[in-house]
Each structure stands twice: as structure tokens, then as C-alpha cells.
Amino acid sequence: MAPGPFAGPQAQQAAREVNTASLCRIGQETVQDIVYRTMEIFQLLRNMQLPNGVTYHTGTYQDRLTKLQDNLRQLSVLFRKLRLVYDKCNENCGGMDPIPVEQLIPYVEEDGSKNDDRAGPPRFASEERREIAEVNKKLKQKNQQLKQIMDQLRNLIWDINAMLAMRN
């Protein structure tokens, strides 16, 4: 919708000004377009034959070459657009203090309480992942031991049944 004739200069400026969330959405859509165009380029390249002396229809070759060049031009435009969006986002977020990603990931302690920065030193997600990997490794070892014990019991029961059958 275009601003009406009664809209003042402030309304027009607000319409031109885009917030950071909208820029991020535009950036995401641009990245999706870039991926789509790149996939089209690879599809065209895969279907093109190399000029190795084999007779090839020049009309088909020219058509595919034109499509390839058009996709490359559009890809170049999309990358320029993404650069503009990136620069504008950085400009809008220039005064913000960066927060480490590890502090943005919540986790639950073993006792069920959530971690607060006031409760003690923060534990990072990488530490949690390492601890989980260690517990999984120990669990696999215990499962292997239980499997061996079950196999031994199965063999023992088989032997006992075989001896009872021989006695009868």
C-alpha cells in the first residue's frame, strides 16, 4: 500500500525504514534464493555435455548456455543484495554488546532446577555434551557386559538342559 496524500514526511520515512527483524527475514529469503539458483546452475552443468568432439545440437547448447549465464547474473545480484542486507543489519546492531552463544543456551541441572548466573559459575553446552558422551560410553560398556552375562547364562542353561535330556 502506498502512503496516502495526507501522510506526512514522518510516515513516509517510517515506511522506508526497515527494522532489523525484517532485514533478517529478507536475508533469509535471499539465502534461500541463492541456494535455489545454485542448485539450478549445478543441474544445468550436470546436463551439459563437455565439448569433446561429440556432435551436439547447437540450439540446445545455446539454450542451456543462456540459462546458465542468466542464473549466474541473478546469483551475482542476489549476493550483492545479501551483502547490503548484512551491512545494514550490522549497522543497526552496531551498539549492541555481543553475548556468547553458550550463555544463551538454557539447561537443567541434575536436581531439576534451572541454571541462573547467580547460582554459580555457568556450565557451557560443550561441557554438557562432553558429559553426556562420557555417560553414553559407560552405558554402552555396561550394556555389553550385560549381553555377555546373558549369553553365558543362556549357554549354561543350554548345557544343563542337554545333561538332563541325556540322563532321561
Side-chain angles (χ1 to χ4, degrees):
M1 262 179 135
F6 300 110
Q10 292 175 347
Q12 290 175 353
Q13 174 137 0
R16 277 186 258 143
E17 192 173 307
V18 181
N19 65 7
T20 306
S22 297
L23 284 174
C24 289
R25 184 183 48 78
I26 291 168
Q28 178 182 4
E29 291 170 357
T30 305
V31 168
Q32 290 172 349
D33 288 343
I34 288 171
V35 169
Y36 177 74
R37 292 289 177 194
T38 305
M39 287 173 41
E40 281 185 359
I41 288 171
F42 281 118
Q43 182 72 23
L44 284 170
L45 288 174
R46 186 178 62 181
N47 291 335
M48 288 182 90
Q49 292 181 353
L50 295 176
N52 57 0
V54 177
T55 56
Y56 194 65
H57 294 63
T58 56
T60 306
Y61 175 77
Q62 287 298 326
D63 182 44
R64 289 181 181 171
L65 184 62
T66 304
K67 285 181 183 178
L68 182 63
Q69 289 172 343
D70 183 46
N71 279 333
L72 288 173
R73 262 187 257 108
Q74 290 175 351
L75 194 63
S76 176
V77 169
L78 287 171
F79 271 112
R80 278 187 250 133
K81 178 180 176 183
L82 185 62
R83 174 49 93 178
L84 290 173
V85 169
Y86 175 78
D87 290 341
K88 186 66 177 174
C89 282
N90 277 343
E91 179 183 311
N92 289 348
C93 298
M96 296 182 175
D97 292 331
I99 298 173
V101 176
E102 291 87 7
Q103 291 181 354
L104 297 175
I105 301 172
Y107 69 95
V108 177
E109 291 284 342
E110 283 96 25
D111 61 357
S113 64
K114 284 194 173 182
N115 181 25
D116 288 334
D117 290 335
R118 298 168 292 228
R123 290 178 48 189
F124 298 117
S126 59
E127 292 175 14
E128 285 282 320
R129 187 178 300 128
R130 183 180 42 79
E131 289 177 8
I132 289 172
E134 289 175 8
V135 169
N136 282 341
K137 185 178 178 182
K138 289 179 183 178
L139 184 63
K140 285 181 182 179
Q141 289 174 346
K142 290 292 183 184
N143 284 344
Q144 187 66 26
Q145 289 174 350
L146 285 173
K147 184 180 179 295
Q148 289 174 351
I149 290 171
M150 287 172 30
D151 288 341
Q152 289 173 353
L153 282 173
R154 189 177 303 114
N155 288 337
L156 181 64
I157 291 171
W158 182 268
D159 289 343
I160 291 172
N161 285 338
M163 283 186 224
L164 289 174
M166 295 288 277
R167 189 188 308 171
N168 291 339

